[in-house]
Amino acid sequence: MNKIQAPFKGDNNATYEMNTVAGADMEEMAGRKELEAHWVRVCDRLRKEIGDKAFKTWFGEVELGELKAGKLRLYAPTRFVRDWVGRHYGDRVLAYWQSVNAEVKNVEVNLVPPPAPRRPNEIIAMPPVPSSQNSHQPPMPRMGPSIGRGADEISQTPEARYTFNNFVVGKPNEFAYAAARNISEQDMPLPERNPLYIFGGVGLGKTHLMHAIWHVIRERDPKTRVLYLTAESFVNRFIQALRTKNTGQFKELFRNVDVLMVDDVQFICGKEASQDEFFFTFNSLVEQNKQIILSSEKPPSELQDIEERMRSRLGSGLVADIHSSTYELRLSILQTKAENARVPVPVNVLEFLAHKISTNIRELEGALNRVVAHGQLIGREITVEMAQDVLHDLLRQADRKVTVDEIQQRVAAHYNIKLAEMSSPRRARSVARPRQVAMYLAKQLTTLSLPQIGKRFGNRDHTTVMHAVRKIEELKVSDHSIAEDVELLKRQLQG
């Protein structure tokens, strides 16, 4: 091993060499500072041209490399960012660099080089692991690219019972069923059917169809990388990635799948940063000809607090709705469920349930389960009278068939305001007072909780609903016209 020795005193040659090396180091440092200053100017121009959001998405984690022989190197955190920046911004980046530094002849975007391997006996100082008592942040879950490989830690596992074979098809859901089946059997996405956007009320079968699509895709090719999760899970993971400065890995994960399935996409409404990330993820996958499948409670045109570009993207493919169930469909569902369970349930009991529980298929199936379980465990004969006794609480609720949508429509028409104002952020009294009346009626005439009601009114907090209920109760005493309005609307809705 060569050893570096200090020069002898008076060794003029050694002193000269040291000064030369020091001078070269200083010159190199000055050149680096100048290069960094040029990079700042290039970034400023890029930010002004493409906007702050796009700049943060694509250049926020790009690092400045070195300039050698006219070739400037930049380093991207992931392959996806590398390819995107090179493909979409390469010419502009080169032009901007050449405008500030004539030495730049070419710009090359590479992956960030891996850390150098540790030498034998080398000791690496590790930061102390925070104790559970002092740590206020949960650890970031592992986000390794294990999608489509069995026990995946990111994708939520669909339920085995939700398949196309046991999905009962009727007039209200036949188009959504046909669309879902068609998409699941396609080898390559069709542009005019990407994304598939399924919407409908709570408990009508959206999630059943989503799970059924997943099963068929994976059965046809187990190697297909399918990522299925709720919009809430997407938002939570994005927030964690921001908190831990791990957005590069987040992008790598979500933008390198074959099929992305997101349930309850309305959850991203009002969440600006998450919308931006979802928008870029959406564009990336469509550009790569990957399939996107979404579900929501409302069509894209009725989503509130969402950017127009996002609304346009959501509705750019195949939009399929599931209508409220008909009596015939509800009866068919009950018959199928009873047959599958191999439990003899009298036809008049099934007809009674199909008549009485009309708003929610999930509640309908739950009611049948309760009746059957009661008959098996208690030993009672299954009759209409027995069903009335067992389901007295549910039937009492079902008799009050008023929905939040009906309340909003009726109140908006009564006060001559647009239906969209029920979910808008406007606080003018001409809008706020009818909205408070609608919230009050929703609390009185439905079984929804305060947070659930708030969600239907533009994702408002439950305290806002609580305030609205108290305010209308006060005004009913002090303002005769409000009292009349509330009573009139209540009679119309219950009639």
Side-chain angles (χ1 to χ4, degrees), residues 31-181:
R32 179 66 186 181
K33 286 185 177 180
E34 184 179 15
L35 197 65
E36 290 173 352
H38 291 161
W39 178 228
V40 170
R41 291 170 63 184
V42 169
C43 288
D44 286 343
R45 290 191 63 177
L46 280 168
R47 186 183 283 106
K48 288 178 183 177
E49 181 179 345
I50 68 177
D52 212 34
K53 293 176 183 176
F55 178 83
K56 288 178 181 177
T57 298
W58 302 115
F59 291 92
E61 296 178 70
V62 173
E63 300 175 6
L64 174 64
E66 62 281 345
L67 175 61
K68 289 183 180 179
K71 180 183 288 186
L72 179 82
R73 284 191 175 89
L74 300 175
Y75 292 103
T78 66
R79 290 185 182 86
F80 178 76
V81 173
R82 177 197 65 186
D83 296 343
W84 186 278
V85 169
R87 187 163 60 247
H88 293 85
Y89 300 107
D91 292 341
R92 271 177 285 186
V93 171
L94 176 60
Y96 292 161
W97 265 107
Q98 290 177 334
S99 70
V100 298
N101 190 330
E103 293 181 29
V104 177
K105 305 301 181 186
N106 184 31
V107 174
E108 189 176 86
V109 184
N110 298 321
L111 283 176
V112 174
R118 185 166 62 92
R119 297 189 300 272
N121 302 324
E122 180 181 6
I123 299 175
I124 301 176
M126 298 293 290
V129 178
S131 67
S132 58
Q133 294 176 340
N134 298 327
S135 177
H136 296 287
Q137 294 184 351
M140 179 71 173
R142 185 174 72 81
M143 295 177 62
S146 59
I147 298 168
R149 297 295 179 187
D152 172 62
E153 295 184 14
I154 303 301
S155 186
Q156 297 170 3
T157 305
E159 293 191 39
R161 62 193 176 100
Y162 287 154
T163 66
F164 284 122
N165 289 338
N166 58 25
F167 186 86
V168 181
V169 183
K171 198 71 177 175
N173 60 25
E174 61 181 0
F175 178 65
Y177 170 82
R181 189 115 208 186

Side-chain angles (χ1 to χ4, degrees), residues 50 108 244-245 261 263 267 298 300 329 337 462 488:
I50 68 177
E108 189 176 86
T244 57
K245 298 181 179 179
M261 306 181 70
D263 219 342
F267 188 83
K298 295 183 177 181
L329 177 59
K337 191 166 182 64
H462 73 281
L488 174 62

Side-chain angles (χ1 to χ4, degrees), residues 8-9 17 42 103 128 130 160-162 178-179 199-200 252 285 316 365 370 375 392 395 418 454 484 492:
F8 292 108
K9 254 187 180 180
E17 288 175 6
V42 169
E103 293 181 29
R161 62 193 176 100
Y162 287 154
F199 76 91
E252 182 85 9
L285 292 174
S316 62
E365 293 179 341
R370 284 173 63 180
H392 65 277
L395 295 175
K418 292 181 179 179
E484 284 188 344
Q492 290 175 340

Side-chain angles (χ1 to χ4, degrees), residues 132 227 272 321 356 377 384 403:
S132 58
L227 177 50
E272 185 177 346
D321 61 334
K356 285 294 185 178
L377 297 175
V384 171
T403 66

Side-chain angles (χ1 to χ4, degrees), residues 170-294:
K171 198 71 177 175
N173 60 25
E174 61 181 0
F175 178 65
Y177 170 82
R181 189 115 208 186
N182 177 266
I183 293 298
S184 69
E185 295 171 353
Q186 291 289 338
D187 291 325
M188 294 292 290
L190 299 174
E192 65 273 16
R193 297 179 187 175
N194 196 18
L196 170 61
Y197 185 103
I198 303 172
F199 76 91
V202 176
L204 296 183
K206 302 186 301 294
T207 299
H208 189 142
L209 286 178
M210 293 282 281
H211 289 203
I213 293 171
W214 187 95
H215 288 305
V216 171
I217 291 175
R218 292 302 300 277
E219 285 169 6
R220 294 181 73 237
D221 184 1
K223 294 181 180 179
T224 303
R225 295 169 298 173
V226 186
L227 177 50
Y228 172 83
L229 75 168
T230 63
E232 181 178 10
S233 180
F234 179 91
V235 170
N236 290 340
R237 287 192 172 278
F238 181 58
I239 292 171
Q240 288 178 326
L242 289 174
R243 185 190 304 155
T244 57
K245 298 181 179 179
N246 204 13
T247 54
Q249 195 174 3
F250 180 92
K251 291 179 174 68
E252 182 85 9
L253 174 66
F254 279 88
R255 301 179 190 185
N256 282 284
V257 298
D258 298 312
V259 182
L260 176 63
M261 306 181 70
V262 182
D263 219 342
D264 293 326
V265 76
Q266 74 276 355
F267 188 83
I268 67 170
C269 294
K271 300 170 178 65
E272 185 177 346
S274 297
Q275 274 188 49
D276 289 340
E277 181 57 34
F278 188 73
F279 178 77
F280 288 122
T281 298
F282 190 114
N283 284 348
S284 169
L285 292 174
V286 169
E287 185 177 273
Q288 298 175 66
N289 201 28
K290 305 300 184 183
Q291 182 70 56
I292 300 172
I293 303 167
L294 311 168

Side-chain angles (χ1 to χ4, degrees), residues 15 122 326 427 462 474 484:
T15 303
E122 180 181 6
T326 60
R427 297 184 179 181
H462 73 281
E474 293 172 1
E484 284 188 344

